[in-house]
Amino acid sequence: MARIEQKVRDLVDEDAEMEAVVRTVLDRADDGEVKWVDVREDLSSGQWGRLIETGILIDGDAGFRLADIEATRDAIENGAAVSTSTDGDDEGTSWSKWDKGAALVTVALFAGYSWAPMRNVIGNAMNVFLGPLTTVLPFYAVVMILAVVTGLYSTILQANLMDAEMMGEYQEKMQAIQEKRKKAKERGDDEALDRIQDEQMEAMGDQMGMFKEQFRPMVWIMFLTIPVFLWMYWGVGIGGNSEAVFELQNIVLPMVGERAWTEGVLGPIQVWIVWYFLCSMGFTQIIRKGLNIDISPTGS
């Protein structure tokens, strides 16, 4: 319903005459069905075509029908279209105080990578929970467990905090603008090109909204994951004058062979982080398949 409301509002915003066109179609529609012969005296063929092009009218049994008659009526009568702007009052893209607080803490946690006192505090605190695992399992298995846990909550956070439908609407809107621009160029309609240019400028705000939608779950993922990384960082002895806290045996990596945990594999990237990411990528895909979670944008 929200998509049709937005499409009607966008159409009317682009061309004020389309409000009367939509009202005419609503008046002439019989149970949502309407034929060209019923409205051709009041509509131009171009206006009729725009209703079909935007998806407000779709194929019906005997002609065309309104994709959502109630949503169309609400958009015209009540102005209830769902906006995709990124203003602070937009519930879909605004961050709560908890989101902002998590972002601030996350930024502060980054200091632990270079500041030993913070790294030691976080490492010792995390070791209360994770230390017992290192006494019963080899370190590579502990890292595998952490990869599973972080992959699980990362997938759940992305599925619940990122509005895939809204992102799909952003993409659809940008694609629709590109299509309209292409058609306007083909027919040499300079007036339409000017309107589309204005629409593109307004859509820049939608791009920021999409970025905020994508970044919001990442803040929470980093908020939970950075302490885990700092514990591994602390445990394997990364940083100046640092020593490994755990007894670490060398690990055998695919296509690389036996390596020490702090040895470089891909340039400066060390074994411990390569092993974590290999486990994380593999288990995350299994988790998404197992839970049937798809975080890709969904269109109409």
Side-chain angles (χ1 to χ4, degrees):
M1 179 175 175
R3 287 200 194 95
I4 296 300
E5 284 186 279
Q6 186 61 47
K7 287 178 180 179
V8 174
R9 175 53 65 88
D10 289 344
L11 191 62
V12 172
D13 286 346
E14 183 182 337
D15 186 350
E17 293 182 1
M18 292 304 296
E19 180 176 354
V21 170
V22 175
R23 288 184 183 277
T24 299
V25 171
L26 283 168
D27 291 340
R28 307 286 172 82
D30 182 12
D31 291 331
E33 292 268 351
V34 62
K35 298 179 181 178
W36 166 240
V37 294
D38 298 327
V39 296
R40 63 184 179 184
E41 294 183 0
D42 301 294
L43 276 64
S44 69
S45 59
Q47 291 170 330
W48 177 258
R50 291 180 71 188
L51 293 176
I52 297 172
E53 179 185 358
T54 54
I56 297 171
L57 284 179
I58 59 177
D59 289 334
D61 296 332
F64 288 89
R65 65 180 178 86
L66 290 159
D68 192 326
I69 190 169
E70 292 301 326
T72 304
R73 183 174 289 110
D74 286 344
I76 292 297
E77 300 297 338
N78 304 321
V82 176
S83 174
T84 57
S85 71
T86 56
D87 295 338
D89 295 332
D90 188 327
E91 183 179 356
T93 58
S94 62
W95 284 25
S96 70
K97 61 181 181 181
W98 301 107
D99 297 325
K100 295 174 183 176
L104 289 174
V105 173
T106 298
V107 172
L109 286 173
F110 274 105
Y113 289 108
S114 57
W115 190 33
M118 176 181 284
R119 182 167 65 249
N120 292 336
V121 168
I122 295 174
N124 280 291
M126 294 292 294
N127 201 51
V128 173
F129 305 99
L130 300 177
L133 285 175
T134 63
T135 63
V136 296
L137 294 172
F139 191 68
Y140 74 84
V142 176
V143 175
M144 288 179 66
I145 292 173
L146 293 176
V148 172
V149 173
T150 56
L152 177 61
Y153 67 65
S154 296
T155 300
I156 293 173
L157 284 171
Q158 286 179 314
N160 286 277
L161 295 182
M162 189 167 62
D163 192 335
E165 183 176 355
M166 180 177 291
M167 291 180 63
E169 290 178 2
Y170 287 150
Q171 291 188 353
E172 285 182 353
K173 185 172 183 178
M174 295 305 297
Q175 289 172 358
I177 291 174
Q178 293 298 325
E179 286 294 324
K180 286 192 289 185
R181 184 180 182 85
K182 180 180 178 181
K183 292 178 181 179
K185 278 186 175 180
E186 289 176 351
R187 64 175 182 266
D189 191 339
D190 293 335
E191 185 178 346
L193 284 172
D194 290 339
R195 290 199 307 268
I196 294 169
Q197 181 67 32
D198 293 338
E199 192 174 350
Q200 283 182 312
M201 295 300 295
E202 293 175 3
M204 293 299 293
D206 291 347
Q207 293 290 339
M208 182 60 68
M210 183 181 293
F211 174 76
K212 289 173 68 177
E213 280 298 311
Q214 291 174 319
F215 193 66
R216 184 184 176 207
M218 290 305 301
V219 165
W220 286 102
I221 291 169
M222 289 188 292
F223 175 78
L224 296 172
T225 304
I226 288 177
V228 174
F229 265 72
L230 289 177
W231 176 79
M232 290 189 287
Y233 211 77
W234 168 81
V236 300
I238 306 297
N241 301 319
S242 298
E243 295 183 359
V245 177
F246 312 121
E247 289 188 18
L248 303 174
Q249 297 179 345
N250 292 350
I251 184 175
V252 178
L253 290 178
M255 297 183 295
V256 176
E258 185 175 342
R259 291 289 189 274
W261 284 92
T262 56
E263 189 175 349
V265 177
L266 301 172
I269 303 176
Q270 297 178 339
V271 167
W272 67 276
I273 196 168
V274 171
W275 176 244
Y276 169 82
F277 276 114
L278 286 174
C279 296
S280 179
M281 288 187 293
F283 285 122
T284 298
Q285 292 302 316
I286 294 172
I287 289 168
R288 288 180 181 175
K289 291 292 185 180
L291 298 179
N292 194 27
I293 292 176
D294 183 7
I295 60 172
S296 59
T298 58
S300 57

